[in-house]
Amino acid sequence: MSTQPLPTTAVIDHPDFFDLDSSLTEDERALRDKVRAFGQQQVEPIINEWWEKAEFPTPLIPGLAELGIIGTFIPGYGCPGLSRKGAGMVAREMGRIDGSVNTFLGVHSNLCMGSIYMLGNEEQRQRWLPPMSRLEKTGAFALTEPDHGSDSVSLETSARRDGEHWILNGHKRWIGNGHAADVVVIYARDEADAQVKAFVLEKNEDGTYPEGYRPEVITGKFGKRAILQADIVIEGLRIPEENRLEQCESFAGVNRVLKATRGGASWEALGHGMAAFEIASRYALEREQFGGPLAGYQLVQEKLATMLSDLTTMQLMCNRMAEMAEADTLTAAQASLVKMTTSRKALAMCREARDMLGGNGMLLERHIGRHLTDMEVISTYEGTDSMQALIVGREITGISAFTRSRR
């Protein structure tokens, strides 16, 4: 066992052991560096304050708008039309800094704006997407319900045609930015044909919501505290026919949006894993214990080697997933395997890093606590770890085990 100080060059500042980022295009590399610099210089210095008081860091909005990343994969309308790998870079680099800000971007850019782009008509795209690309208006995506999380296909919120309006009734929960968004895409089941339709709710000119839309911020969260989710009661909410996204005639429309945004959580998990490895490796070199740096002990080096192995696995999977998504060959089961693997490994890495920091790992100033609790959240949303395993299991066996057996 060596207790000699190790050279600081042993630290991998930007852990990419197989040099996968060398395959990035010049534009993708510039995008990576731009988002990384913004995260390090603008987000990291302030995020703990906002995280601790459970408020979204609104001062960041102008800077986020200037990055040119809003709308990610959408071409035109002021959006950048990023490749799948480019969109992954945004989630990875922001996840390395903070998951709450990344969730805000995912909800606004991918889910809400993606719904309007893929399911709306040209007039609707022109009406909403340009101001949203400039973050003059923010968005939300209201799909999840209190009794239907992963089982979103069973949603119960209803919509009834009444002349040139639709009347919506129901309950949504865990809706990111649903308490403050200027534009909210609400999915509801048409009473006439039992099919799922999509509707766009807009705030009134005075900044209030129309009667019948009652959001309440969910409090008491221990993870992703700097992005707020809403519990929303919808009663007699009237939405004009012109605000119905006409290319959504069934749950297949929802699936189009989810397929296009599939993989975002995996890229973010990769970002958290990269952060955990960086924090742990640097601390191991800085921390003196029992007469030498932690990094000089065999047990610590074994932990770091395992973390780097897991991190490299995650990087390889995410890069391959992006290639397949770009070629439109990525299957749901393949995406589930990536989500399951990256969530499990990144969560384990964050726990390991927190343990290596000892008591210091409990302090927000060390940042690992945010990454750890954010990973607990990622393991739940966009399909829980168990749901991902069941999707993969069905692919392996040909047997669906989603419903409990009946005797």
Side-chain angles (χ1 to χ4, degrees):
M1 176 179 67
S2 170
T3 58
Q4 294 299 314
L6 299 182
T8 55
T9 53
V11 179
I12 302 175
D13 288 325
H14 303 301
D16 182 12
F17 203 57
F18 277 25
D19 197 24
L20 294 174
D21 278 8
S22 65
S23 66
L24 296 177
T25 66
E26 185 176 342
D27 287 343
E28 289 168 345
R29 190 173 294 109
L31 173 68
R32 176 201 65 186
D33 294 344
K34 180 171 58 175
V35 176
R36 178 180 296 171
F38 179 82
Q40 293 173 339
Q41 297 167 14
Q42 304 296 321
V43 181
E44 192 170 64
I46 70 167
I47 193 59
N48 285 339
E49 172 191 352
W50 294 88
W51 190 95
E52 196 163 18
K53 61 185 180 182
E55 294 180 13
F56 182 73
T58 51
L60 294 175
I61 288 181
L64 288 170
E66 292 173 2
L67 280 175
I69 61 174
I70 306 301
T72 55
F73 63 87
I74 298 172
Y77 312 98
C79 303
L82 299 177
S83 66
R84 297 302 174 183
K85 188 175 288 187
M89 285 294 112
V90 172
R92 187 190 83 177
E93 293 302 321
M94 201 57 73
R96 286 176 72 176
I97 302 298
D98 180 67
S100 295
V101 175
N102 187 65
T103 293
F104 169 80
L105 291 173
V107 167
H108 173 84
S109 291
N110 299 339
L111 294 172
C112 182
M113 293 180 69
S115 293
I116 294 169
Y117 173 69
M118 286 183 281
L119 305 179
N121 58 38
E122 185 59 24
E123 185 279 328
Q124 291 168 332
R125 295 171 187 155
Q126 294 288 353
R127 191 193 334 169
W128 289 308
L129 293 181
M132 294 182 77
S133 74
R134 299 187 294 268
L135 280 178
E136 295 169 0
K137 293 184 176 182
T138 64
F141 176 85
L143 174 65
T144 304
E145 299 181 347
D147 296 327
H148 304 290
S150 296
D151 186 23
S152 56
V153 71
S154 298
L155 67 84
E156 297 180 43
T157 298
S158 65
R160 175 173 56 83
R161 183 73 181 262
D162 181 27
E164 290 304 305
H165 285 78
W166 291 80
I167 300 176
L168 274 60
N169 290 281
H171 194 176
K172 299 292 184 178
R173 188 167 174 82
W174 296 112
I175 308 305
N177 202 35
H179 69 298
D182 302 289
V183 177
V184 184
V185 175
I186 303 174
Y187 290 92
R189 194 173 298 281
D190 187 348
E191 292 183 359
D193 61 9
Q195 296 299 320
V196 173
K197 308 290 171 64
F199 305 87
V200 178
L201 168 72
E202 296 179 276
K203 276 184 174 179
N204 298 319
E205 291 185 3
D206 62 0
T208 62
Y209 284 115
E211 183 179 354
Y213 182 87
R214 300 200 303 274
E216 183 175 340
V217 171
I218 298 172
T219 60
K221 294 190 305 172
F222 71 80
K224 297 244 181 182
R225 288 174 54 81
I227 176 66
L228 306 183
Q229 280 85 21
D231 183 275
I232 305 167
V233 174
I234 300 172
E235 288 184 340
L237 174 63
R238 296 180 68 86
I239 294 183
E241 162 64 14
E242 65 181 16
N243 282 26
R244 181 178 67 85
L245 300 180
E246 62 182 37
Q247 296 185 55
C248 184
E249 294 294 343
S250 69
F251 197 81
V254 183
N255 275 334
R256 283 183 61 197
V257 177
L258 297 180
K259 180 181 179 182
T261 59
R262 186 180 294 150
S266 299
W267 280 102
E268 184 189 339
L270 171 57
H272 289 294
M274 293 174 76
F277 178 79
E278 291 174 306
I279 292 169
S281 59
R282 289 173 181 166
Y283 187 82
L285 284 166
E286 297 167 2
R287 177 69 170 178
E288 295 282 332
Q289 195 77 12
F290 303 113
L294 283 180
Y297 291 90
Q298 293 175 356
L299 179 61
V300 173
Q301 291 197 9
E302 190 278 334
K303 290 177 182 291
L304 291 173
T306 299
M307 292 174 75
L308 184 57
S309 172
D310 288 344
L311 184 59
T312 303
T313 298
M314 294 163 62
Q315 290 167 332
L316 289 165
M317 294 186 78
C318 283
N319 275 268
R320 179 56 180 156
M321 176 178 65
E323 292 171 353
M324 298 181 73
E326 198 72 46
D328 198 25
T329 60
L330 182 71
T331 68
Q334 289 167 335
S336 289
L337 183 63
V338 179
K339 169 66 161 54
M340 182 186 76
T341 303
T342 53
S343 294
R344 289 181 178 181
K345 289 187 179 298
L347 180 57
M349 290 176 68
C350 289
R351 289 171 175 166
E352 190 73 271
R354 209 294 309 157
D355 181 70
M356 288 176 64
L357 267 65
N360 288 329
M362 303 300 293
L363 300 174
L364 277 180
E365 65 187 44
R366 295 287 181 166
H367 300 295
I368 190 59
R370 276 190 300 104
H371 290 290
L372 173 57
T373 55
D374 284 355
M375 274 311 310
E376 292 284 2
V377 178
I378 293 172
S379 295
T380 298
Y381 69 37
E382 292 192 22
T384 64
D385 182 84
S386 296
M387 288 300 299
Q388 307 299 343
L390 288 177
I391 292 171
V392 176
R394 179 180 60 188
E395 187 75 6
I396 295 169
T397 65
I399 301 172
S400 175
F402 289 92
T403 57
R404 63 193 179 103
S405 59
R406 295 176 174 83
R407 296 183 179 180

